[in-house]
Amino acid sequence: MLDLLAVGLHRPFALSPVTEAIQGGQLLGLIGPNGAGKSTLLSLISGYITPDCGEVRLLDQPLSAYSPRQLARNRALVTQHMDSAFDWQVGEFIQLGQGHAGLPCAGIVEAMDITHLLDRGVLSLSGGELQRVTIARALNQLAISPAGPTEGQAPRLLLLDEPTSALDIGQQQNLMRLLRRLARVPHIAVVCVLHDLNLAARYCDRLWLMEKGRLCASGTPAQVLNAHTIETVFGAQVSVTAGPGHAVGIELAC
Amino acid sequence: MTRSHTRSLPTLLLMLAGLCALLALCSLVGSIGLSPRILLGHLPAPLEWQVWSEVRLPRLLLAVLVGSTLAAGGTAMQGLFRNPLADPTLLGQASGAGLAVSIWIVLFNGRFAGLELYGQFLAGFVGALLVTLVIFRIGRGYKGRESTITLLLAGLVINTLTGAVGGMLTFMASEEQLRQLSLWGMGSLGSAEWSTLSVALVVLPLTLLVLVRSAADLDLFQLGEVSAHAAGLNAERLKNRIVLASSLGVGLCVALTGIIGFIGLLVPHCLRLYFGPGHRLLIPASMLCGAILLLLADTLARSLVSPAEIPVGLVTSVIGGPYFLWLLLGRKVREF
């Protein structure tokens, strides 16, 4: 679905050229220590930053060939922080950027567990509630309906930057299950920056491990996450156990 | 589903009806009282007809246009800066336009025969545009409370600076220019004539149209620049459009009437409490409410001490100043 062809950046943050592909029907986790370049890579993938070298291609077309509105139908982004200056009602907020007329897509509000928040203002929400509302808005922009088959067969790319950072453990599980379920659809790909390695290992099909502005490993969680790599990249002593399928479990050493 | 959509149309229609009724009423009130029969097509005495058609009507139309533009311009600027304090007066946009017009009056007026009025309009536009670009540059990169404080400080400095340079110009001005400067500077609709109104009748509706058509994009812009881009917005194009349209609108208003403060702050803030922050409703509602407010303020200004009149800028400042203080002192300050 999306190809990165030697995509790199010199400024404001140096990113060594990355050549990789993101397939439909895939939940991809971007992991790495703070300041490794995960959000920058996500911005390049989204088209917000233009690379200094290489090219990002969506469906075999360079991103520059799409108009902003065309891109918005195929790709949505959830940023780390959402700070609104005005008190949007949640029901209004999730319809911002909606490409279709009428109500939000069926099932989004229920899937994100925000039905009880619809009449609230976004300024009154907690961090976790706002994060769920922001994700619901992105799903609605792409017309992705968790309740049933997504409208049409147009490819959808959902990009999320630390979507679980403000969520409690129940909501983290709820969100990751939803993303996992969405990414089973062949024309949907989900790319997710995650700091929780256990969540990444448990739910992602593939992981890209970033360190100091370069992609240092990519593969299934079992291929990428081992005690030696984690100690080298993160400086943390852990024990890694094999889980179901490609998943692994990571435990901090005492 | 949402608070605004259920209330929107009836309220907007009510405001439009209120504006029409107020226009009719205000056209009869003033130092020379006119009979309501003039509204029903009865031809009055020649003097009354002249007062109604040559004095009242252009003045009322100018009030509607300027009130609409200042309020819609303030709403759009607040949306663009993502800040409820981004008012043309507070940020210095109006005083920038004012200084440019003063410079035109003192240094260039009379040198270009027949172009005085257009030169004044152009000066207002350039002054407002320059200040908007400077403010935009300064405000970029700040968020939340930091952004508010930075913008207010920048506005304070620009207002002080333009005040100081404007003060220097008064020393250079001739007596005739001084009278012209002081009459224009206090903010008044008294200069309204069909000839001056012709430019406003073309340019201001165009700027309003641009603002109305930018409403959906302004809504998206509230997601923040990165998310708005991902949601399909060409943010650079929107910024250029709003900066140009609001500068043109505010610059022309200032050139025509002097600085009429607080309408761009007060109107969107009050309406947002009722309609919510969506610009598709907020901008048309601001246009209607701004027109109503300036019509009322102007009618007060020319009726309170009739046959003399108070500059309308003083009336809006007397209403808007305390409201702004209340905003700063009251609980609403948390929203900034």
Side-chain angles (χ1 to χ4, degrees):
Chain A
M1 179 184 289
L2 187 114
D3 297 294
L4 302 174
L5 306 174
V7 171
L9 203 63
H10 307 315
R11 283 189 307 173
F13 180 90
L15 191 74
S16 304
V18 176
T19 301
E20 280 286 346
I22 299 167
Q23 310 292 343
Q26 192 179 75
L27 174 51
L28 172 71
L30 268 178
I31 55 171
N34 300 130
K38 306 180 293 294
S39 299
T40 306
L41 185 58
L42 206 67
S43 288
L44 280 166
I45 294 173
S46 78
Y48 183 68
I49 299 179
T50 309
D52 291 325
C53 60
E55 191 173 63
V56 183
R57 296 178 75 87
L58 178 67
L59 306 171
D60 294 328
Q61 294 275 334
L63 285 186
S64 55
Y66 293 86
S67 73
R69 286 198 197 283
Q70 282 172 325
L71 262 184
R73 282 196 286 272
N74 293 107
R75 165 287 274 121
L77 172 70
V78 177
T79 52
Q80 273 183 44
H81 305 290
M82 164 65 217
D83 58 331
S84 176
F86 303 114
D87 200 16
W88 292 88
Q89 205 173 39
V90 169
E92 293 169 323
F93 184 84
I94 60 176
Q95 288 182 286
L96 290 176
Q98 176 176 294
H100 55 278
L103 295 173
C105 288
I108 289 178
V109 167
E110 294 78 11
M112 294 312 303
D113 189 21
I114 55 170
T115 314
H116 61 293
L117 303 176
L118 284 179
D119 292 330
R120 293 258 303 270
V122 292
L123 295 181
S124 72
L125 300 180
S126 73
E129 287 170 336
L130 184 59
Q131 204 156 31
R132 275 147 51 206
V133 167
T134 311
I135 296 167
R137 193 210 63 77
L139 291 174
N140 192 43
Q141 178 193 322
L142 291 178
I144 289 177
S145 170
T150 297
E151 204 178 292
Q153 291 299 305
R156 309 283 208 278
L157 177 63
L158 179 60
L159 309 170
L160 306 106
D161 197 352
E162 298 185 31
T164 57
S165 59
L167 301 185
D168 62 55
I169 190 166
Q171 293 294 351
Q172 286 185 18
Q173 186 181 45
N174 182 34
L175 175 66
M176 292 311 292
R177 280 179 173 168
L178 172 68
L179 296 180
R180 176 62 276 153
R181 202 164 66 241
L182 291 175
R184 287 211 176 95
V185 181
H187 61 275
I188 296 179
V190 180
V191 181
C192 196
V193 173
L194 289 168
H195 270 300
D196 187 326
L197 295 185
N198 272 311
L199 278 184
R202 175 72 186 81
Y203 292 100
C204 293
D205 299 305
R206 289 181 67 79
L207 296 178
W208 290 359
L209 176 61
M210 308 270 310
E211 185 196 19
K212 294 176 185 163
R214 70 185 181 93
L215 180 64
C216 61
S218 78
T220 63
Q223 287 168 333
V224 172
L225 294 174
N226 57 64
H228 175 69
T229 309
I230 291 173
E231 181 159 7
T232 310
V233 175
F234 291 92
Q237 286 84 49
V238 297
S239 60
V240 179
T241 52
H246 293 298
V248 291
I250 297 155
E251 204 175 320
L252 278 171
C254 291
Chain B
M1 179 173 183
T2 58
R3 65 186 156 193
S4 41
H5 297 144
T6 49
R7 298 173 181 176
S8 58
L9 199 61
T11 313
L12 285 179
L13 287 175
L14 203 65
M15 287 167 78
L16 184 62
L19 175 62
C20 294
L22 203 61
L23 264 174
L25 189 68
C26 291
S27 74
L28 306 176
V29 179
S31 51
I32 299 179
L34 300 176
S35 158
R37 294 199 312 164
I38 199 170
L39 301 172
L40 303 170
H42 291 274
L43 269 184
L47 177 67
E48 286 193 338
W49 173 249
Q50 198 179 358
V51 167
W52 192 79
S53 64
E54 297 295 323
V55 179
R56 295 273 161 83
L57 221 50
R59 184 170 184 145
L60 295 181
L61 271 179
L62 188 63
V64 169
L65 284 171
V66 170
S68 303
T69 307
L70 291 178
T75 309
M77 291 294 284
Q78 291 177 12
L80 188 67
F81 283 93
R82 302 179 67 220
N83 192 316
L85 286 186
D87 163 67
T89 327
L90 287 175
L91 294 189
Q93 215 182 5
S95 59
L99 177 63
V101 172
S102 303
I103 290 173
W104 171 265
I105 290 175
V106 174
L107 301 182
F108 300 106
N109 213 2
R111 294 190 185 186
F112 304 94
L115 292 176
E116 286 87 354
L117 195 62
Y118 298 105
Q120 199 161 315
F121 292 156
L122 188 67
F125 168 55
V126 172
L129 182 66
L130 284 177
V131 168
T132 313
L133 292 175
V134 169
I135 292 276
F136 205 80
R137 176 110 188 137
I138 292 171
R140 206 163 55 179
Y142 293 98
K143 284 181 180 173
R145 187 178 286 270
E146 229 179 297
S147 146
T148 305
I149 292 167
T150 310
L151 288 180
L152 284 179
L153 285 176
L156 181 74
V157 171
I158 287 173
N159 281 328
T160 310
L161 207 62
T162 51
V165 180
M168 283 182 218
L169 282 171
T170 57
F171 281 107
M172 300 164 63
S174 63
E175 265 187 44
E176 166 60 25
Q177 286 170 338
L178 263 182
R179 194 165 50 248
Q180 204 178 342
L181 277 178
S182 63
L183 274 177
W184 162 84
M186 282 187 284
S188 167
L189 297 163
S191 65
E193 289 169 15
W194 287 112
S195 59
T196 53
L197 202 59
S198 58
V199 178
L201 274 170
V202 175
V203 178
L204 295 184
L206 274 178
T207 64
L208 288 172
L209 188 68
V210 172
L211 297 181
V212 168
R213 286 177 63 88
S214 304
D217 286 349
L218 274 170
D219 282 353
L220 270 189
F221 195 70
Q222 304 315 305
L223 293 171
E225 218 161 313
V226 182
S227 299
H229 172 268
L233 178 71
N234 187 335
E236 285 308 312
R237 196 180 293 172
L238 173 74
K239 282 186 218 166
N240 292 340
R241 219 162 50 210
I242 299 291
V243 165
L244 277 175
S246 71
S247 301
L248 189 59
V250 170
L252 187 55
C253 288
V254 170
L256 277 167
T257 64
I259 296 174
I260 298 176
F262 290 106
I263 288 183
L265 172 78
L266 198 130
V267 170
H269 197 275
C270 292
L271 291 177
R272 211 176 272 116
L273 296 175
Y274 184 79
F275 287 106
H279 291 86
R280 274 175 278 203
L281 289 174
L282 204 54
I283 289 182
S286 294
M287 285 164 55
L288 290 169
C289 191
I292 290 172
L293 190 66
L294 192 54
L295 262 182
L296 281 173
D298 184 51
T299 308
L300 271 180
R302 62 192 168 85
S303 310
L304 281 179
V305 289
S306 173
E309 65 176 72
I310 309 166
V312 71
L314 299 185
V315 177
T316 58
S317 295
V318 164
I319 301 168
Y323 180 76
F324 178 62
L325 281 178
W326 175 77
L327 279 184
L328 285 177
L329 293 170
R331 62 189 174 86
K332 291 290 169 196
V333 78
R334 280 201 300 270
E335 287 178 18
F336 302 155

